[in-house]
Amino acid sequence: MTATSYRTTLCGDLRPGHVGQRVTLGGWVHRSRDLGGLVFLDLRDRAGMVQVKVDPAVADAATVQVAEKVGVESVVLVEGDVVARPADGVNPELATGAIEVLARSLRVVGPAATPVLPVARGKGTPLPAEELRLRHRYLDLRRPELQQNLLLRHRLLQATRRYLSDRAFLELETPILTKPTPEGARDFLVPSRVHPGEFYALPQSPQIYKQLFMVCGFDRYFQVARCFRDEDLRADRQPEFTQIDIEASFVRQDDILALAEGLVQHLWAEAGIAVPTPFRRMTYAAAMEHYGCDRPDLRYGLEIADATAAFAPLDFGVTRAALAAGGRVRGIVVPGGAAWSRKQVDELEALAKGAGAGGLLRLKRVGSEYEGPVARFLDDAARAALALPDGSLWLGVAGPDRASSPALDRVRQECAARLGLADPARREFLVVVDFPMFERDPDTGALAAVHHPFTSPNPDDYAARPDDPASWRAVAYDVVLNGTELGGGSIRTSDPAVQSRMFALLGIGDVAEQERRFGFLLEGLRAGAPPHGGIAFGFDRIAMLLAGAPSLRDVIAFPKTTAARALFEGAPSTVPPEDLEALHVRVAAEPPGR
RNA sequence: GGGGGCGUAGCUCAGUUUGGUUAGAGCACUCGACUGUCACUCGAGAGGUCGCGGGUUCGAGCCCCGUCGCUCCCGCCA
């Protein structure tokens, strides 16, 4: 299937079964070993590598001369015979290691300049600096590791399409040039030439379009959607990224979650990993209570427990003040933590403070002794209530949950890292449900959507407490693996009146303003909308996890740096003044001279 | 926007602590030798804007100030 008029076989596909065949190969010279008569070339293509042997007894003089001179990374065509290697010449590290190709002729069709980065690296040799790898991406992507990553990415994409298409989902496309959205991340803007002063935005997600597909009656939609957000980058965040975007009609939460679990199972299976379903479910409230975050890593315990009852009666200023202010005392028990030094625990306190806690309460139990600043305040009842095992360390935060949860989350994660509790081979999938509908801006008190403005509030909450939106749960859910969010979604508001109220709660009370910004959605909902909902998965992140790659950049062919530059192509770049003029754009700040 | 780390040969790094002769090593590269290597081996050679700019000093890879790039993190990312 990969045979062409140039070649018969891929290098990496050759096996002992090919012995005796005359083959023609095309590939890149990975390495060469000139023994001064015999020349060995490792020839590489996307399937792998095979050893080519050039023997003056078989090949003509010209071929021998070419073999001696050809530089690494040059593209050559080899015609020769597949032969078994001598018993003591087998290379067990190579899939093709039992055979080699005895060359009859060798031709360089794409001579390579000396590569500025090595493609063939010795074992244990460090990678070149990432800046150079990105600048010379055409070389870096020749590395078998990155080729494997992108090959896996391809397979995951195909598996996604197969899975969803088999379940009657239609792959429908949505515009890349679209309308700026007022909420969420910063938009990438594209000036309009035809309409002076007006701009398109690149989509942060195809959210409204996919809901309109439901309004149209397409019933089940998916897309491998490119999304764009103009925010600062991280190792696991690129300005342009790929989502598996899904929406379906006449569904409830459980319909979407069952589909999502099946898709995850299917994708992990494509990577050779069996994943049992359904996934564990946990409410947002329970996740925050026991783990302090909405995407807990369940590979280890160290669960947060309420210790308010133990501290309430004590004459201890720190906890007394916190409780009087309506807060609680919560903490985790770290087995073996009593052995940690003052400095080690101080480092944990710094993390807790960084996450918003006033401080970190600490209590060690060694034998029957209790140590630490808290110890002398404890009475027998408090000791009994804490039930601290011998040799362990209790770390607590007194205060409101909004401070203690993130602080204990941070401390819990650091303790787990120190103790090596997170088994990298384990996979703890989790579905978090019942997210709050809104969160308050701590400064302004304004409501903001936790998921997005199109999410349906929990119907019971909406009916029971119509005037207390801050207490509403949303019909929104996340899929989490080992503390990483894989995807999230919600059931949407399909009632235009409810949607309009949501906008009002989010500060867009003016009906005309609503129509201007979201008219195309509201009109659609008024035209007869089925109940609908969906989910979106971060595809790059999934590919990264399944490839075992440390960075998103290792599963994206041409990624951006953390400064949002494309080093290979050289984007972004300045443009000629006449181009700007045509777009009716004037640049206020000239870029630094380069 | 803020903080940490890094920047010396094509690549990976040492040298910076304590400023002082001609800035080193491995790999890659060039030339030569070698018929079973597979990170071949051996010999010889070439290769430097010490990121960039300024300052201190008799003298700066090394000290100071600024700046650029990469990276990790905080803010940000509905």
Coordinates of all heavy atoms in Angstrom, one line a residue, chain B residues 54-67:
Chain B
rG54 P 28.4 49.2 23.0 OP1 28.9 50.3 22.2 OP2 29.2 47.9 23.1 O5' 28.2 49.7 24.5 C5' 27.7 51.0 24.7 C4' 27.3 51.2 26.1 O4' 26.5 50.1 26.6 C3' 28.4 51.3 27.2 O3' 29.1 52.6 27.2 C2' 27.6 51.1 28.5 O2' 26.9 52.2 28.8 C1' 26.6 50.0 28.0 N9 27.2 48.7 28.3 C8 27.7 47.7 27.5 N7 28.1 46.7 28.1 C5 27.9 46.9 29.4 C6 28.1 46.1 30.6 O6 28.6 45.0 30.7 N1 27.7 46.8 31.8 C2 27.1 48.0 31.8 N2 26.8 48.5 33.0 N3 26.9 48.8 30.7 C4 27.3 48.2 29.6
rG55 P 30.7 52.6 27.6 OP1 31.1 54.0 27.4 OP2 31.3 51.5 27.0 O5' 30.6 52.3 29.2 C5' 30.0 53.2 30.1 C4' 29.9 52.6 31.5 O4' 29.2 51.3 31.4 C3' 31.2 52.4 32.2 O3' 31.7 53.5 32.7 C2' 30.7 51.4 33.3 O2' 30.0 52.0 34.3 C1' 29.7 50.5 32.5 N9 30.2 49.3 32.0 C8 30.5 48.9 30.7 N7 31.0 47.7 30.6 C5 31.0 47.3 31.9 C6 31.5 46.0 32.4 O6 31.9 45.0 31.8 N1 31.4 45.9 33.8 C2 30.9 47.0 34.6 N2 30.8 46.7 35.9 N3 30.5 48.1 34.1 C4 30.6 48.2 32.8
rU56 P 33.3 53.6 32.9 OP1 33.6 55.0 33.4 OP2 34.0 53.0 31.7 O5' 33.6 52.6 34.1 C5' 33.1 52.9 35.4 C4' 33.5 51.8 36.4 O4' 32.8 50.6 36.0 C3' 35.0 51.5 36.4 O3' 35.7 52.4 37.2 C2' 34.9 50.0 37.0 O2' 34.8 50.0 38.4 C1' 33.7 49.5 36.3 N1 34.0 48.7 35.1 C2 34.4 47.4 35.2 O2 34.5 46.9 36.3 N3 34.6 46.8 34.0 C4 34.5 47.3 32.8 O4 34.8 46.6 31.8 C5 34.1 48.7 32.7 C6 33.8 49.3 33.9
rU57 P 37.1 53.0 36.7 OP1 37.6 53.9 37.7 OP2 36.8 53.5 35.3 O5' 38.0 51.8 36.6 C5' 38.4 51.1 37.7 C4' 39.1 49.8 37.4 O4' 38.2 48.9 36.7 C3' 40.3 49.9 36.4 O3' 41.5 50.4 37.1 C2' 40.4 48.5 35.9 O2' 41.1 47.7 36.8 C1' 38.9 48.1 35.8 N1 38.4 48.3 34.4 C2 38.4 47.2 33.6 O2 38.9 46.1 33.9 N3 37.9 47.5 32.3 C4 37.4 48.6 31.8 O4 37.0 48.7 30.7 C5 37.4 49.7 32.8 C6 37.8 49.5 34.0
rC58 P 42.4 51.5 36.4 OP1 43.4 51.9 37.3 OP2 41.5 52.5 35.7 O5' 43.1 50.7 35.2 C5' 43.8 51.4 34.2 C4' 44.5 50.4 33.3 O4' 45.6 49.7 34.1 C3' 43.7 49.2 32.8 O3' 42.9 49.5 31.7 C2' 44.7 48.1 32.6 O2' 45.4 48.3 31.3 C1' 45.7 48.4 33.7 N1 45.4 47.6 34.9 C2 45.7 46.2 34.9 O2 46.1 45.7 33.9 N3 45.4 45.4 36.0 C4 44.9 46.0 37.1 N4 44.6 45.3 38.1 C5 44.6 47.4 37.1 C6 44.9 48.1 36.0
rG59 P 41.4 49.1 31.5 OP1 40.9 49.6 30.2 OP2 40.7 49.4 32.8 O5' 41.6 47.5 31.4 C5' 42.2 46.9 30.3 C4' 42.4 45.4 30.5 O4' 43.2 45.2 31.6 C3' 41.1 44.6 30.7 O3' 40.4 44.3 29.6 C2' 41.7 43.4 31.4 O2' 42.2 42.5 30.5 C1' 42.8 44.0 32.3 N9 42.4 44.3 33.6 C8 42.2 45.5 34.2 N7 41.9 45.5 35.5 C5 41.9 44.1 35.8 C6 41.7 43.4 37.0 O6 41.4 43.9 38.1 N1 41.8 42.1 36.8 C2 42.2 41.4 35.7 N2 42.2 40.1 35.7 N3 42.4 42.0 34.5 C4 42.3 43.4 34.6
rA60 P 38.8 44.3 29.6 OP1 38.3 43.9 28.2 OP2 38.3 45.5 30.3 O5' 38.5 43.0 30.6 C5' 38.9 41.7 30.2 C4' 37.8 40.7 30.5 O4' 37.3 40.9 31.9 C3' 36.5 40.9 29.6 O3' 35.9 39.6 29.4 C2' 35.6 41.8 30.5 O2' 34.3 41.7 30.2 C1' 35.9 41.2 31.9 N9 35.7 42.2 33.0 C8 35.5 43.5 32.9 N7 35.3 44.1 34.1 C5 35.3 43.0 35.0 C6 35.2 42.9 36.3 N6 34.9 44.0 37.1 N1 35.2 41.7 36.9 C2 35.4 40.6 36.1 N3 35.6 40.6 34.8 C4 35.5 41.8 34.3
rG61 P 36.3 38.7 28.2 OP1 37.6 38.1 28.6 OP2 36.2 39.5 27.0 O5' 35.2 37.6 28.2 C5' 33.9 37.8 27.9 C4' 33.0 36.8 28.5 O4' 33.6 35.5 28.4 C3' 32.8 37.0 30.0 O3' 31.8 37.9 30.3 C2' 32.5 35.6 30.5 O2' 31.1 35.3 30.3 C1' 33.3 34.8 29.5 N9 34.6 34.4 30.1 C8 35.9 34.8 29.7 N7 36.8 34.2 30.3 C5 36.2 33.4 31.3 C6 36.7 32.6 32.3 O6 37.9 32.4 32.5 N1 35.8 31.9 33.0 C2 34.4 32.1 32.8 N2 33.6 31.4 33.5 N3 33.9 32.9 31.8 C4 34.8 33.5 31.1
rC62 P 31.9 39.0 31.5 OP1 30.6 39.7 31.6 OP2 33.2 39.7 31.3 O5' 32.0 38.1 32.8 C5' 31.0 37.2 33.2 C4' 31.5 36.4 34.4 O4' 32.7 35.7 34.1 C3' 31.8 37.3 35.6 O3' 31.4 36.6 36.8 C2' 33.3 37.4 35.6 O2' 33.9 37.6 36.9 C1' 33.7 36.0 35.0 N1 35.0 36.1 34.3 C2 36.0 35.2 34.7 O2 35.8 34.5 35.7 N3 37.2 35.3 34.1 C4 37.4 36.2 33.1 N4 38.6 36.2 32.5 C5 36.3 37.0 32.7 C6 35.2 37.0 33.3
rC63 P 30.0 37.1 37.5 OP1 29.7 36.2 38.6 OP2 29.0 37.3 36.4 O5' 30.3 38.5 38.0 C5' 30.9 38.7 39.3 C4' 31.0 40.2 39.6 O4' 32.1 40.8 38.9 C3' 29.8 41.0 39.2 O3' 28.7 41.0 40.1 C2' 30.4 42.4 39.0 O2' 30.5 43.0 40.3 C1' 31.8 42.1 38.5 N1 31.8 42.2 37.0 C2 31.8 43.5 36.4 O2 31.6 44.5 37.1 N3 31.9 43.6 35.1 C4 32.0 42.5 34.4 N4 32.1 42.6 33.0 C5 32.1 41.2 34.9 C6 32.0 41.1 36.3
rC64 P 27.2 41.1 39.6 OP1 26.3 40.8 40.7 OP2 27.0 40.4 38.3 O5' 27.0 42.7 39.3 C5' 27.1 43.6 40.3 C4' 26.9 45.0 39.7 O4' 28.1 45.3 38.9 C3' 25.7 45.2 38.9 O3' 24.5 45.4 39.6 C2' 26.1 46.4 38.0 O2' 26.0 47.6 38.7 C1' 27.6 46.1 37.8 N1 27.9 45.4 36.5 C2 27.8 46.1 35.3 O2 27.6 47.3 35.3 N3 28.1 45.5 34.2 C4 28.4 44.2 34.2 N4 28.6 43.6 33.0 C5 28.4 43.4 35.4 C6 28.1 44.1 36.5
rC65 P 23.1 44.9 39.0 OP1 22.1 45.1 40.1 OP2 23.3 43.6 38.4 O5' 22.8 46.0 37.9 C5' 22.6 47.3 38.2 C4' 22.4 48.2 37.0 O4' 23.6 48.2 36.2 C3' 21.4 47.7 36.0 O3' 20.1 48.0 36.4 C2' 21.8 48.3 34.7 O2' 21.5 49.7 34.7 C1' 23.4 48.2 34.8 N1 23.9 47.0 34.2 C2 24.1 47.1 32.8 O2 23.8 48.1 32.2 N3 24.5 46.0 32.1 C4 24.8 44.9 32.8 N4 25.3 43.9 32.1 C5 24.6 44.8 34.2 C6 24.2 45.9 34.9
rG66 P 18.8 47.0 36.0 OP1 17.6 47.6 36.6 OP2 19.2 45.6 36.2 O5' 18.8 47.2 34.4 C5' 18.3 48.5 33.8 C4' 18.6 48.5 32.4 O4' 20.0 48.2 32.1 C3' 17.9 47.5 31.5 O3' 16.6 47.9 31.2 C2' 18.7 47.5 30.2 O2' 18.5 48.7 29.4 C1' 20.2 47.6 30.8 N9 20.8 46.3 30.9 C8 21.0 45.5 32.0 N7 21.5 44.3 31.8 C5 21.7 44.4 30.4 C6 22.2 43.4 29.5 O6 22.7 42.3 29.8 N1 22.2 43.8 28.2 C2 21.7 45.0 27.8 N2 21.7 45.2 26.4 N3 21.2 45.9 28.6 C4 21.2 45.5 29.9
rU67 P 15.4 46.8 31.0 OP1 14.1 47.5 30.8 OP2 15.6 45.8 32.0 O5' 15.8 46.2 29.5 C5' 15.8 47.0 28.4 C4' 16.4 46.3 27.2 O4' 17.8 45.9 27.6 C3' 15.8 44.9 26.9 O3' 14.7 45.1 26.1 C2' 16.9 44.2 26.1 O2' 17.1 44.7 24.8 C1' 18.1 44.7 27.0 N1 18.5 43.7 28.0 C2 19.2 42.6 27.6 O2 19.5 42.4 26.5 N3 19.5 41.7 28.6 C4 19.2 41.9 30.0 O4 19.6 41.0 30.8 C5 18.5 43.1 30.3 C6 18.2 43.9 29.3

